[in-house]
Amino acid sequence: MTKLPKRMQKSHAGVEAGKAYGLDEAVKLVKERAIAKFDETIEVSMNLGVDPRHADQMVRGVCNLPNGSGRKVRVGVFAKGPKAEEAKKAGADVVGAEDLFEIVNKGTIDFDRCIATPDMMGLVGRLGKVLGPRNMMPNPKVGTVTMDVTAAVKAAKGGAVEFRVEKAGIVQAGVGKASFSAEQIAQNVRAFVDAVNKAKPAGAKGTYVKKISISSTMGPGVKVDAASTGTA
């Protein structure tokens, strides 16, 4: 068996493999092991009992984290006229229409979240091959195709995180930073788990949430007892 580097041995010490910890204890273990020189991201991963190859088992949504994500999010908005001005006033980093289309179509994406007004979707839809693989295509189901661009921009800036189930049935997202208090992280985890539970598709059969774990960027994964989140 390959021996773990000393740093990894230290971070894994005290975490019992396979054991499901209560959320508060799991957060404490993760915070204690976030010892990198940068402010590590706290990530939550959920293994769901769905097969996303079937349309009626797709899980997708958005979660407004009560304490924000701790990440600086650059927002791009496709809009014209008054709505473009509204987006700028709301704090959008990049705003445009045909001009922004040409930039993005060439592969230059200077934003992390993409929002569009409904009248722009005919244009934005042509960027599917560019934005789709990055999971950045605006979608009305997650509030990124809307006429209320002010609310959408502020939500994105304030810590709204989108989620979408991957092929293996995994949903994951960053829900804070190691510098957050344990209570803030726990609140964000509960909010995320609740959002994923509410997004349960009609086609899901059997156990929906199979496993929940949290980790920091450089730390070990810690399994969380789903019941302890108060949402499962």
Side-chain angles (χ1 to χ4, degrees):
M1 182 180 291
T2 303
K3 189 175 182 180
L4 293 174
K6 287 185 177 181
R7 184 194 175 283
M8 291 186 67
Q9 289 183 43
K10 182 178 180 181
S11 66
H12 282 69
V15 177
E16 189 176 330
K19 179 180 177 179
Y21 293 87
L23 179 58
D24 291 340
E25 186 177 2
V27 169
K28 181 175 181 291
L29 289 170
V30 169
K31 276 182 62 67
E32 288 175 347
R33 285 154 180 76
I35 56 177
K37 293 182 179 179
F38 60 92
D39 193 5
E40 296 183 50
T41 296
I42 303 300
E43 301 173 343
V44 59
S45 177
M46 299 177 66
N47 188 344
L48 306 178
V50 299
D51 184 349
R53 291 177 298 179
H54 300 289
D56 65 345
Q57 294 188 47
M58 173 56 66
V59 179
R60 183 173 187 176
V62 64
C63 173
N64 290 304
L65 300 174
N67 300 297
S69 67
R71 177 188 175 200
K72 184 178 180 181
V73 178
R74 289 179 56 81
V75 178
V77 178
F78 282 88
K80 285 184 174 180
K83 286 298 173 181
E85 291 305 312
E86 182 182 329
K88 292 176 183 176
K89 290 180 181 179
D93 299 278
V94 183
V95 181
E98 286 81 4
D99 54 338
L100 183 54
F101 170 89
E102 293 298 332
I103 293 171
V104 174
N105 198 37
K106 292 178 181 177
T108 301
I109 303 177
D110 290 328
F111 48 83
D112 308 299
R113 182 72 57 81
C114 186
I115 295 166
T117 52
D119 58 302
M120 287 282 98
M121 285 308 295
L123 183 68
V124 179
R126 290 156 54 192
L127 294 171
K129 290 183 179 180
V130 181
L131 296 176
R134 296 173 172 81
N135 198 26
M136 295 176 68
M137 178 62 72
N139 188 307
K141 291 183 179 180
V142 295
T144 48
V145 177
T146 177
M147 288 300 288
D148 192 350
V149 293
T150 294
V153 170
K154 289 184 176 180
K157 291 281 189 178
V161 293
E162 292 184 37
F163 57 86
R164 182 175 182 172
V165 67
E166 300 172 2
K167 290 181 180 179
I170 304 294
V171 168
Q172 53 192 353
V175 292
K177 293 289 185 178
S179 59
F180 283 21
S181 71
E183 183 178 2
Q184 288 176 318
I185 294 171
Q187 287 175 347
N188 280 0
V189 171
R190 288 190 178 95
F192 184 79
V193 172
D194 184 51
V196 173
N197 272 313
K198 288 179 178 177
K200 180 180 179 179
K205 306 297 182 183
T207 303
Y208 178 52
V209 178
K210 291 185 173 182
K211 179 182 176 182
I212 303 173
S213 63
I214 59 175
S215 64
S216 63
T217 305
M218 304 295 288
V222 178
K223 189 176 180 181
V224 177
D225 178 5
S228 71
T229 66
T231 60

